[in-house]
Amino acid sequence: MGFAALESEVRSYSRAWPVVFDRAVGATVYAEDGTEYLDFFAGAGSLNYGHNNPVLKKVLLDYLSSDRMVHSLDMFTSARREFLETFHSLILQPRGLDHKVVFPGPGGANAVEAALKLARKITGRESVINFTNAFHGMTLGALSVTGNSMKRGGAGIPLVHATPMPYDDYFNGDVDDFQYFKRLLEDGGSGLNEPAAVIVETVQGEGGINAARAEWLRGLADLCREHGILLILDDIQMGCGRTGGFFSFEEAGIVPDIICLSKSISGYGLPMAITLVRPELDVWEPGEHNGTFRGFAPAFATASEAIRTYWSDDTLEKDVKAKGLLIESHFNSVVSRFPERELVAKGRGLARGLQLPDGDLAGQVTEHAFRHGLLVETSGPNGEVVKLLPPLTITEDELRRGLAILDDAFAAVLA
């Protein structure tokens, strides 16, 4: 019996890439028949340091072969201490952040649920402001602040206590930043419930690689401060160096009240998530938020090594920005070659997208790329954006090879 007979219809990526994958190294994955594919997907951003990174693999194998603690809930372990101290000294302290670390569970949605729950506990308010085309997860709380109607429709119950506002450039520059949001906050007749928090992504990955301007983010932070609203920054897909700096909000110079991280925080694709909270907001009662798999110690071990290896200096940050500019230049040339298609190049760092007129064309591009040895997905409300999330450690040669495959795909589909 095959996958189709045994597995639920809910599967998705296997439909776009209908082969059986077996091995993976760096930016290359191998089907079981030996066919190679360049990976511009990287586990949807969970493999920023590549597949089976040799430095992290050695740490993981040594950890497991030494009979170290694997499952620990929130008990103290040496691996947990190592991660907390490494994260504090190399990530938080150099950036002037004093946030405390919550381990909410194994995935990004757990980090978001903890953030929403804590914001409501702190403020005593229920309403949360989210943004058009946002994606924050598939559990009910996270889904309530997600924009995509198909994903929301799967909830089966009303998704309440969240109010969407326009993301940066939602009206193509025709409306001043936060004009609508400000008016609703300040008008006693607007009907807007006083918000506990605002949750935002600096770059909307699933929403179509929509990158907010630094000044827009600063304006949002100022607005939250003026009105006593907590600012939750969802850095699950765009953190851990995806846009250059370790946190995607560094460029804007803002300090969120609560920060959600997951995906590449373990460094190796192991389940791990954290919610960072300013010390004065850490008002949990013991056990008030918990989860069985919030202490997966092998992930702590690889996370600590990833931070030491890649974040002791700014080498990776500079490399990501340089490779991002290479993609940007390449995409700009594609846009100029097909002016009648009104393509749009989008993104920051190594989160890049090329917006096509519709999802059908974008799907044809990614299908063509797959047939020629490249894994790349689409995003956006209608799947109209060809979305690039290659490993941050990809070589320039690999990046250029992948872009050449994409170039042929765009030519085949758009010409």
Side-chain angles (χ1 to χ4, degrees):
M1 296 177 73
F3 292 103
L6 297 170
E7 191 174 350
S8 166
E9 293 299 313
V10 79
R11 60 190 174 83
S12 59
Y13 290 114
S14 55
R15 299 178 189 277
W17 304 323
V19 299
V20 179
F21 295 105
D22 183 51
R23 296 190 306 116
V25 179
T28 304
V29 297
Y30 300 86
E32 62 180 359
D33 65 1
T35 305
E36 294 185 17
Y37 295 88
L38 262 175
D39 187 2
F40 275 21
F41 173 64
S46 297
L47 296 162
N48 281 5
Y49 313 111
H51 294 269
N52 289 302
N53 182 298
V55 175
L56 307 183
K57 179 167 65 176
K58 183 179 186 308
V59 167
L60 179 60
L61 292 175
D62 288 348
Y63 189 89
L64 294 174
S65 66
S66 302
D67 291 331
R68 305 281 294 284
M69 290 285 290
V70 171
H71 184 274
S72 61
L73 293 111
D74 68 358
M75 297 183 290
F76 293 148
T77 63
S78 53
R80 191 186 202 93
R81 178 178 58 207
E82 180 188 25
F83 171 74
L84 286 167
E85 292 177 349
T86 304
F87 189 74
H88 175 76
S89 62
L90 292 180
I91 301 300
L92 295 180
Q93 200 169 42
R95 291 160 181 81
L97 302 174
D98 62 354
H99 294 57
K100 295 182 74 175
V101 179
V102 178
F103 295 107
N110 301 104
V112 170
E113 294 286 353
L116 298 176
K117 184 189 290 188
L118 183 60
R120 287 172 170 139
K121 176 181 173 68
I122 291 163
T123 62
R125 308 171 196 158
E126 295 178 0
S127 176
V128 172
I129 301 297
N130 61 306
F131 289 96
T132 49
N133 292 314
F135 179 81
H136 297 289
M138 298 295 278
T139 49
L140 288 180
L143 199 56
S144 73
V145 291
T146 288
N148 186 282
S149 58
M150 182 274 286
K151 293 181 172 68
R152 291 176 65 87
I157 62 171
L159 296 170
V160 296
H161 309 302
T163 305
M165 292 291 164
Y167 193 69
D168 189 17
D169 205 30
Y170 185 70
F171 294 111
N172 300 313
D174 294 336
V175 177
D176 291 341
D177 294 346
F178 310 113
Q179 179 180 339
Y180 180 61
F181 189 13
K182 278 183 181 176
R183 180 67 183 267
L184 291 181
L185 283 172
E186 294 165 1
D187 180 3
S190 71
L192 178 68
N193 292 330
E194 193 174 18
V198 165
I199 185 166
V200 68
E201 305 153 273
T202 64
V203 182
Q204 295 180 324
E206 299 303 310
I209 309 293
N210 307 313
R213 294 164 296 137
E215 55 266 35
W216 187 87
L217 292 167
R218 286 192 289 270
L220 178 61
D222 290 343
L223 192 60
C224 287
R225 192 161 45 248
E226 288 168 21
H227 291 272
I229 303 168
L230 297 178
L231 178 59
I232 302 170
L233 200 298
D234 180 343
D235 230 2
I236 290 164
Q237 190 166 84
M238 295 301 154
C240 303
R242 176 56 56 184
T243 64
F246 185 86
F247 295 109
S248 68
F249 57 82
E250 291 177 41
E251 178 185 308
I254 61 174
V255 179
D257 298 297
I258 303 175
I259 304 161
C260 301
L261 286 175
S262 184
K263 291 196 181 283
S264 279
I265 187 61
S266 79
Y268 203 79
L270 302 178
M272 181 178 171
I274 60 178
T275 304
L276 304 173
V277 303
R278 286 176 29 226
E280 62 271 26
L281 304 179
D282 184 30
V283 297
W284 294 114
E285 297 292 332
E288 190 174 5
H289 187 84
N290 59 37
T292 304
F293 294 100
R294 66 192 186 279
F296 186 50
F300 294 156
T302 54
S304 298
E305 186 61 29
I307 290 168
R308 284 191 295 266
T309 302
Y310 294 104
W311 298 101
S312 293
D313 59 33
D314 63 357
T315 302
L316 181 67
E317 179 175 350
K318 290 179 177 177
D319 199 37
V320 167
K321 290 178 178 177
K323 290 171 185 170
L325 290 175
L326 192 158
I327 298 174
E328 182 178 319
S329 173
H330 191 88
F331 275 3
N332 285 340
S333 72
V334 175
V335 170
S336 66
R337 284 208 308 277
F338 301 98
E340 73 285 357
R341 294 289 193 171
E342 298 182 342
L343 309 177
V344 181
K346 310 170 81 175
R348 284 173 51 203
L350 281 176
R352 295 286 171 171
L354 191 65
Q355 182 175 306
L356 277 68
D358 57 63
D360 181 57
L361 286 173
Q364 290 178 45
V365 169
T366 58
E367 288 168 20
H368 187 285
F370 174 69
R371 292 197 303 273
H372 292 81
L374 178 69
L375 302 183
V376 61
E377 68 168 336
T378 62
S379 71
N382 300 300
E384 70 276 21
V385 177
V386 176
K387 176 187 180 186
L388 274 61
L389 292 178
L392 310 186
T393 52
I394 193 169
T395 66
E396 186 175 325
D397 176 64
E398 289 171 323
L399 187 58
R400 289 184 183 278
R401 279 198 288 123
L403 290 173
I405 293 171
L406 269 181
D407 215 32
D408 290 343
F410 285 125
V413 172
L414 298 175

